[in-house]
Amino acid sequence: MDPIRVLVADMVALDRDIVERIAAQPEDMTIVGSARGAAEAAAALEAHGADVLLTAASGTGPLGACLALLGSHPDLAVVVVDPADRLGLVRVCRLVERVHRAGAPWPEYLLDTIRSVADRSRED
């Protein structure tokens, strides 16, 4: 099985070094690079690919720009780290694939999508 490819973006140097050291330890993960800002992250994603983008919750601008990458990389998961938070991790963001009833009217599709996301988060 291929290792999980991790890209680190928009973190101050100390936080980036800590996160990279932690994520590089397991044999099933590899750091594919680090980036400053969404533009560098997008270029790194195009060049190296990644399964997970680690970013900081340091501000809404950089975070929003990193989350915008989900539109062009729908298989990417984004893990948001907040060093000020006691547990560190804030959220895991991932686009949800279409649910089975994608042909249903929009209100039903919306409800099915919410249920799908809730079911998936309960499994994790």
Side-chain angles (χ1 to χ4, degrees):
M1 186 169 166
D2 292 333
I4 299 167
R5 300 166 299 158
V6 179
L7 174 64
V8 181
D10 272 337
M11 286 193 182
V12 296
L14 177 62
D15 294 340
R16 183 191 64 237
D17 292 346
I18 292 169
V19 167
E20 284 181 346
R21 186 172 57 245
I22 292 169
Q25 287 179 356
E27 291 180 13
D28 65 338
M29 292 184 196
T30 185
I31 303 292
V32 294
S34 61
R36 292 184 198 168
E40 278 188 29
L45 287 169
E46 292 301 322
H48 308 292
D51 302 304
V52 176
L53 174 73
L54 287 175
T55 190
S58 58
T60 57
L63 178 57
C66 284
L67 291 176
L69 293 171
L70 289 170
S72 56
H73 298 85
D75 293 332
L76 183 68
V78 177
V79 175
V80 182
V81 178
D82 183 0
D85 183 82
R86 186 176 63 83
L87 297 176
L89 293 179
V90 177
R91 293 279 183 260
V92 177
C93 307
R94 171 169 256 154
L95 290 180
V96 178
E97 67 276 1
R98 292 174 101 31
V99 295
H100 298 294
R101 295 177 32 137
W106 190 82
E108 291 178 32
Y109 176 66
L110 174 63
L111 294 175
D112 286 347
T113 303
I114 293 168
R115 288 184 187 104
S116 172
V117 172
D119 290 344
R120 177 160 299 142
S121 68
R122 290 181 190 144
E123 291 171 1
D124 296 340

